[in-house]
């Protein structure tokens, strides 16, 4: 069974940093591109960042470019999101999601981890 | 960036009725790379449709997708109790990937 399990969400002050993790199991992690997608409380979905299967290519939404860094460790079957210079508007549930054939749509999602940016 | 506009914002229907949800793109979606997801409260989104009209694994045939270019539709032919949820469209034909604002299907 495909599983994605996010962790690392917390309450952090504006300007602070946080690292999210997503542990994958039940499939060959190194064969799939993966993304982070977030959802602010009561709002819709927003794609944040993506990384290719071997980690060689990364992509970011303009809203996080220069502040967030996506990475992966295929030996640990884990995806990461390093979040710096956090703002109130980054408050959201962050989901990791597996892409189908590196196409850009998602067939499996984690349960999400909540990041709250507030003083 | 392609902006996706979903309508209506809320659809109030009874079980057994037909639901028609619209997703309109600000420019043509490459190769009709349009997906639909269902999300229930406290849960992650679930893939329903990809490539505008292909059902994901395990999705019942009462749920269908259609459309091309800039206009796409998700149809639920007969609403079951488990279909009341929020639905999002997403385009993956160009970066950045973008989602629509969602349509809530609620029980009338």
């Amino acid at each position: 069974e495909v599983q994605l399990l996010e962790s690392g969400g917390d309450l952090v002050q504006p300007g602070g940093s946080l690292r999210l993790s997503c542990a994958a199991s039940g499939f060959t992690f190194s064969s799939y591109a993966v993304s982070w997608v977030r959802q602010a409380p009561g709002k819709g979905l927003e794609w944040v960042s993506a990384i290719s299967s071997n980690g060689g290519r990364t992509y970011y939404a303009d809203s996080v470019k220069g502040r967030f860094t996506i990475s992966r460790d295929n030996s640990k079957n884990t995806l990461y999101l390093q979040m710096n210079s956090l703002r109130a508007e980054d408050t959201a549930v962050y989901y990791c999601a597996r892409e189908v054939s590196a196409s850009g749509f998602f067939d499996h999602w984690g349960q999400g981890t909540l990041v709250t940016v507030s003083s | 960036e392609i902006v996706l506009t979903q309508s209506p914002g809320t659809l109030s229907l009874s079980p057994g009725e037909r639901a028609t949800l619209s997703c309109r793109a600000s420019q043509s979606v490459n190769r009709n790379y349009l997906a639909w997801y269902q999300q229930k409260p406290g849960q992650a989104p679930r893939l329903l449709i990809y490539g505008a009209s292909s059902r994901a694994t395990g999705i019942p045939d009462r749920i269908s997708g259609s459309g091309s270019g800039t206009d796409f539709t998700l149809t639920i032919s007969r609403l079951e109790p488990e279909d009341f949820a929020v639905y999002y469209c997403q385009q993956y034909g160009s970066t950045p990937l973008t989602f629509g604002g969602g349509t809530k299907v609620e029980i009338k």
Side-chain angles (χ1 to χ4, degrees):
Chain A
E1 179 191 4
V2 173
Q3 289 196 336
L4 298 164
L5 185 63
E6 302 94 336
S7 61
D10 205 348
L11 170 64
V12 61
Q13 291 189 339
S17 297
L18 207 57
R19 188 177 85 155
L20 306 183
S21 299
C22 172
S25 60
F27 65 103
T28 304
F29 181 66
S30 60
S31 296
Y32 287 86
V34 282
S35 280
W36 289 98
V37 178
R38 68 184 180 183
Q39 186 169 36
K43 303 298 184 182
L45 301 167
E46 179 189 16
W47 171 79
V48 172
S49 182
I51 188 167
S52 61
S53 58
N54 66 2
R57 287 168 290 157
T58 58
Y59 309 87
Y60 297 94
D62 284 347
S63 58
V64 306
K65 201 172 294 183
R67 300 187 299 123
F68 290 10
T69 302
I70 192 171
S71 62
R72 64 191 295 162
D73 185 338
N74 285 344
S75 68
K76 296 182 178 178
N77 292 338
T78 302
L79 172 71
Y80 302 100
L81 186 68
Q82 178 66 43
M83 310 164 67
N84 298 331
S85 302
L86 282 161
R87 307 166 180 167
E89 54 264 36
D90 296 319
T91 294
V93 173
Y94 285 73
Y95 296 100
C96 62
R98 187 181 84 166
E99 288 189 31
V100 176
S101 302
S103 59
F105 70 95
F106 311 107
D107 64 344
H108 288 278
W109 299 64
Q111 89 292 341
T113 188
L114 176 61
V115 173
T116 303
V117 184
S118 175
S119 55
Chain B
E1 171 176 324
I2 295 179
V3 177
L4 299 178
T5 302
Q6 292 188 241
S7 61
T10 302
L11 204 48
S12 298
L13 295 168
S14 301
E17 289 194 296
R18 182 184 187 90
T20 303
L21 287 66
S22 172
C23 176
R24 183 160 292 175
S26 59
Q27 56 189 279
S28 186
V29 176
N30 289 337
R31 303 184 184 181
N32 295 325
Y33 279 176
L34 193 287
W36 290 92
Y37 301 87
Q38 176 194 69
Q39 188 179 34
K40 297 180 180 179
Q43 296 185 16
R46 174 195 181 196
L47 176 66
L48 301 175
I49 299 287
Y50 62 93
S53 60
S54 297
R55 273 184 219 91
T57 302
I59 302 305
D61 59 8
R62 69 176 185 276
I63 295 175
S64 62
S66 62
S68 64
T70 61
D71 289 299
F72 299 88
T73 300
L74 180 74
T75 302
I76 307 173
S77 59
R78 297 172 309 279
L79 282 165
E80 297 287 341
E82 62 267 27
D83 297 331
F84 291 92
V86 179
Y87 293 82
Y88 294 96
C89 57
Q90 179 225 340
Q91 69 79 24
Y92 53 99
S94 60
T95 54
L97 308 178
T98 51
F99 291 87
T103 291
K104 181 179 182 180
V105 179
E106 65 176 21
I107 299 176
K108 186 174 182 180

